[in-house]
Amino acid sequence: MTVRHFLRDDDLTPAEQSRLLDLAAELKGSPYSRRPLEGPQSVAMIFDKPTLRTQVSFGAGIAELGGNPMLVEGRLAGIGVRESVADVARVLARQVAVVVWRTFAQADLDTMAAHAGVPVVNALSDDFHPCQLVADLLTVREHKGTLPGLTVAFVGDGACNMGNSWLLAGTTAGMHVRVAAPAGYLPSEATFARADEIAAATGGSATAYDDAEAAVAGADVVVTDTWISMGKEAEVDSRVEVFAPYALTPGLLALAAPDAIVLHCLPAYRGKEIAAEVLDGPQSVVWDEAENRRHAQKAVLAFLLEESA
Ligand code: NVA
């Protein structure tokens, strides 16, 4: 049996991503139509970083799939501290059908996946936030009708999990992904190289900008995220200064396509990375985006369970 995991956005082929988005849309329309966790089987949800949307949307979604959402308190479990990631993986797999884990190092997720024997889902790491991207793409598809060929501009901390995930997931969807960030805050060359490789097959593209205005010009979708990701709190002063020219203001948004939509994974800091007029304005779809976490993650769980059967 091959166990499928969802650790980074490019774990899905373009065809699988498209299928998964179709399933998410189906589940949104018919929330109780699939019961792959009937029993109920349990899903462990482990959080080593703060959470609101992820905990609630996974918890509600797992219940809707017929399962039992089991919150495992990261601080009590002490994964990698009290015992190795590999030993935790071996223990969890004897109890639960899926492991959902929010943590710091991507390498720890890889280790968990290597030893679990059940699907492991990245619920945000320092490097990627793939579940958020399924929700984001679902939201864009709902509002724009399609994904291939659309231009998305991500402005701000391009090196954070959301910048990286947009590069991989956006190009997988055949989108033109522009990332605008100050020097030192762009996704790594390796991530751009991977996005280029994906884009070559899907017709998308991946481009780095240092100028936010050039990146946003004519874009169909404009995305930003906090300048201070979880774990970066000590850098708040330097970050607020370096990212100031990348704030998503009404003036910057005016350069995008007239019907452009605005996404933000939340939590948002009004007056910092995004102006209140933009976040709360008519082009913002952030509440749909937040709702879509549940539908997207249900599709991820159903897909992984089916593929791992
Ligand atoms: N980049 C942010 C995303 C929060 C959902 C962080 O890692 O804190």
Side-chain angles (χ1 to χ4, degrees):
M1 181 182 82
T2 313
V3 179
R4 290 289 301 265
H5 307 286
F6 192 42
L7 307 182
R8 37 186 282 164
D9 307 85
D10 57 347
D11 284 342
L12 297 175
T13 65
E16 288 174 340
Q17 184 195 66
S18 171
R19 211 173 100 207
L20 206 140
L21 289 168
D22 287 344
L23 178 56
E26 178 197 314
L27 288 166
K28 186 168 183 173
S30 189
Y32 312 108
S33 58
R34 303 240 181 172
R35 310 281 289 174
L37 292 166
E38 192 73 80
Q41 299 178 64
S42 294
V43 174
M45 308 186 298
I46 316 165
F47 297 99
D48 294 334
K49 290 179 176 179
T51 177
L52 170 71
R53 276 150 295 278
T54 302
Q55 182 178 333
V56 172
S57 58
F58 264 110
I62 289 161
E64 288 178 9
L65 293 174
N68 170 45
M70 180 188 293
L71 185 60
V72 179
E73 169 58 57
R75 266 169 303 201
L76 295 180
I79 302 173
V81 179
R82 290 179 68 235
E83 54 195 319
S84 69
V85 176
D87 282 359
V88 171
R90 294 178 181 113
V91 170
L92 288 176
R94 297 295 178 104
Q95 306 292 348
V96 302
V98 182
V99 175
V100 172
W101 190 18
R102 165 169 292 188
T103 193
F104 294 84
Q106 188 72 20
D108 285 343
L109 281 156
D110 293 337
T111 305
M112 181 76 84
H115 294 91
V118 297
V120 176
V121 177
N122 177 1
L124 182 149
S125 67
D126 290 345
D127 293 345
F128 298 103
H129 197 0
C131 291
Q132 180 70 54
L133 261 289
V134 180
D136 285 15
L137 293 177
L138 179 64
T139 309
V140 174
R141 220 178 63 160
E142 286 172 351
H143 286 270
K144 294 285 170 194
T146 185
L147 295 175
L150 291 181
T151 296
V152 55
F154 181 97
V155 291
D157 183 6
C160 84
N161 38 31
M162 286 299 294
N164 291 335
S165 276
W166 260 106
L167 265 191
L168 298 188
T171 51
T172 300
M175 298 173 80
H176 302 292
V177 185
R178 303 170 175 173
V179 180
Y185 295 94
L186 279 166
S188 69
E189 277 180 28
T191 308
F192 265 107
R194 179 68 186 122
D196 286 342
E197 193 180 18
I198 296 167
T202 63
S205 62
T207 314
Y209 290 74
D210 58 9
D211 178 10
E213 296 192 354
V216 169
D220 303 296
V221 182
V222 184
V223 188
T224 191
D225 185 16
T226 180
W227 294 336
I228 299 127
S229 283
M230 293 177 277
K232 300 288 184 192
E233 292 80 2
E235 300 171 22
V236 61
D237 292 340
S238 61
R239 283 175 169 263
V240 166
E241 196 180 320
V242 77
F243 287 120
Y246 297 83
L248 183 48
T249 60
L252 183 58
L253 182 58
L255 302 174
D259 61 350
I261 55 172
V262 171
L263 275 76
H264 189 311
C265 64
L266 307 173
Y269 300 92
R270 292 172 174 82
K272 294 285 194 301
E273 78 277 3
I274 190 164
E277 303 93 294
V278 174
L279 187 79
D280 302 317
Q283 289 169 271
S284 167
V285 296
V286 301
W287 311 118
D288 291 347
E289 184 185 0
E291 174 187 334
N292 282 340
R293 293 292 302 279
R294 183 169 87 262
H295 313 303
Q297 290 157 188
K298 285 173 67 181
V300 167
L301 293 172
F303 173 86
L304 295 178
L305 287 164
E306 192 182 304
E307 290 291 315
S308 302

